[in-house]
Amino acid sequence: MTDIVAVTEIKGRVINVSNRLPVLIRKHAGGARVERSSGGLATALDAGWRHQRGIWIGWAGTSPGQHIEPLLLKASQARSYTLRSVSLTEDEIAKFYSGFANEIIWPLFHDMPSRCNFDPEYWEIYQRVNRKFGKVTAETATPDDFIWVHDYHLMLTASAMRQAGVSAPMGFFLHIPFPSPDVFEKLPWKKPILKSLLEFDVIGFQSDHDRVNFVACLERLLPEAKVEPGIPRVQVRLEGRRTVIGTFPIGIDFDEFARQAAESGIEAHSSEIRRRLSGDTLVLGVDRLDYTKGIPERLKSFRLLLRRFPEQRGHITLVQVVVPSREEIPNYKHLRREVELLVSQINGEFTEPGWVPVHYIHRNLGREELLAYYRAADIGLVTPLKDGMNLVAKEFCAAQIDERGVLIVSEFAGAGPELRCGAIVVNPNDFSEVAQALHDAAIMGVEEKRNRMRLLREVVKEHNVQRWIGSFLQAMPTAEAVISKRGAASDLGSQYIFSHRRDETMPGVALVATALSPDARPRYQMGREKLRMLGRAAGED
Ligand code: ADQ
C-alpha cells in the first residue's frame, strides 16, 4: 500500500434510496413506535452512514395517510442524516414487495428459478412503485447531490429519475447476487431492467462473479450496449450514456462490533450462555429465516455429524437463531415448518439426560444478545446456498476478540472466497463435507484456531463498511478530479469526504476485491503447516 489517499468529494448531499428505511414504524395498541429494521442492508448502511450528513429515502412500513412525520423527525434527530419516507398501499406491498421483488427477483437472482411466480401484474406494480420512489427522490435531489440507490427492489428508478429531469450523478449497488445469462434470461422483463440499470452512472456488485455475470447478460441480451472491457473497471456505453461497472464487497463496522463485544456485560452474558448450554463445543447459526440461507441443509449436516461421529454426542451443541422474515409469502411459511420439524427430529433422535443437541431460537435478538452468542460460540456455521455477501460471517469474526472461534463458510456466499484465508470453506449441499468440517473445527488445536481467526479479523477490519462506501463514491465519474495527497482533505471544504488508502498499482473500483484475491495476497492462503509456523514465530507453542 502507498501513502496516497483517495478523497471523494461530493459538493451536495448523499441521498441513499432503499426499499426500507433503517427504522420501521409499527402500530400497537397505544399508537405507533419506531423499531430498528432487520436485515443486512439496513445493518450495514446504518452503521456506515451513522456519522455522515445526508438523506435516506425509503419505506418505513406504513401506508398512505398515516401521520408518521413526528416519529420520523425524532428518529432523524438521533442520526446525522434525515429520514424521508415513501408510503406504500396494501396492494403495492403485496405485488411490488412480496410479489415482484421477493417472489420473482429474489429467487431468480439466487439461482432458484423454480421458486419464481412470474405474475404479470407484479411487473405493472413494480414499475409503478419504482416511479413513485423516483418521483420522491427527484423532488429531493439537487444537481450537486449524489443519489445512491440500493438493491433489487429499485432497479427501474434511474429511468424514472432521468425522465423527471434529474441530472445529479446516480449509483446503484446490488446487495444480492446477479445470475448467469442462462438464469437471467428466464425473466420476461429482462431487457427493460438491463436498459434501466444502464441509466445509472455506476453499478456495483458484491463479487467479481456477479459483475462478470452482469456483463455476460448485457453481451447476450442487449447487444446494442457497447462493453469496453477494462481491469478493474468495465465501462458500458448505451444511447450516449456511459456506465462504470465494478466490484465492491460490502463490509461491517468492525471497530464498533469489536468494541461492543469486549464490554464486560457482553462477556458476562456470553459466559452465562456457555455455562447454561451443556457440551464442550458450541456451534452457532444466525440467519433471517430464508430458503437461500441453507438452514434445513445445515441441520441435516449436523445430524450427519452426530450419526457419523458418535463420540461427539453430548459434547457438541448447535444453537440456531432465526429472525422471522417475509412471513406473508407461502415459501417462507413452508420453510419454518420444515426447519422446526427437522429440529424436533434431531432432538428426538439424539437428546440424552443433560444434553439437547439443537437449541432453536425464533426471534430477533438485540445487538447485545447477538454479540454474547457470537462470543460464546466455538464455531460460526454460515452455510447459505447462495448469498450476495453474508454479514453474519464478518460479524462473528469481529466479535471473536479471544480469537477462539472457527468460521465455516459456504463457497456460494460472497464472504466465502473473501474469507478463505482463515475459514473452512464448504459446499453447503455436501452434507458429508460440512459434517467433516464441523468435526475438524471441533478438534482443531488452540494455536491453529487463533492463527486462522487472527487473519480473518485482519481482513474484516481492513475491508470495513466505511471503506466500502469510500470505494463506491470514488468510482463516481466526478471523483477522479479530487484524488489528492494525504492531508488535502481538509482543504476541500466538502460535506462528504471518505478516504482510504489507495494501491497505486491497482487503482479504481475493484480495489477491495483485488486486494483480497488469492494471487494478490498469497500470505492469506496459508496451509495448516504455515499457520502452525506463524504461531511458533509468535511464541505461541
Ligand atoms: P441479508 O440477506 O439480510 O442481507 P446478511 O448479510 O446475513 O443477510 O445480514 C443479516 C443481518 O441480520 C446481520 O446483520 C445479522 O446480524 C442480522 N440478523 C440475522 N438474524 C438475526 C437475529 N435472529 N437477530 C438479530 N439479528 C439478526 C442482504 C444480502 C446479503 C448481504 C447484505 C448486505 O442478502 O448477501 O450481505 O444484504 O449487503
Side-chain angles (χ1 to χ4, degrees), residues 38-41 43-44 106 110 173 175-176 206 250 286-288 293 321-323 363-366 370 374 387-392 395:
S38 62
L41 187 157
T43 309
W106 178 267
H110 286 87
F173 184 77
H175 290 253
I176 66 172
Q206 297 272 25
I250 199 167
V286 176
D287 308 83
R288 276 190 310 99
K293 301 293 182 185
V321 188
V322 296
V323 60
R363 65 184 144 85
N364 197 10
L365 301 185
L370 185 66
Y374 282 149
D387 217 334
M389 177 53 66
N390 196 296
L391 297 180
V392 170
E395 292 168 5

Side-chain angles (χ1 to χ4, degrees), residues 145-157:
D145 295 336
F146 172 61
I147 300 168
W148 190 357
V149 178
H150 296 267
D151 233 1
Y152 59 102
H153 315 86
L154 301 175
M155 292 186 287
L156 304 179
T157 46

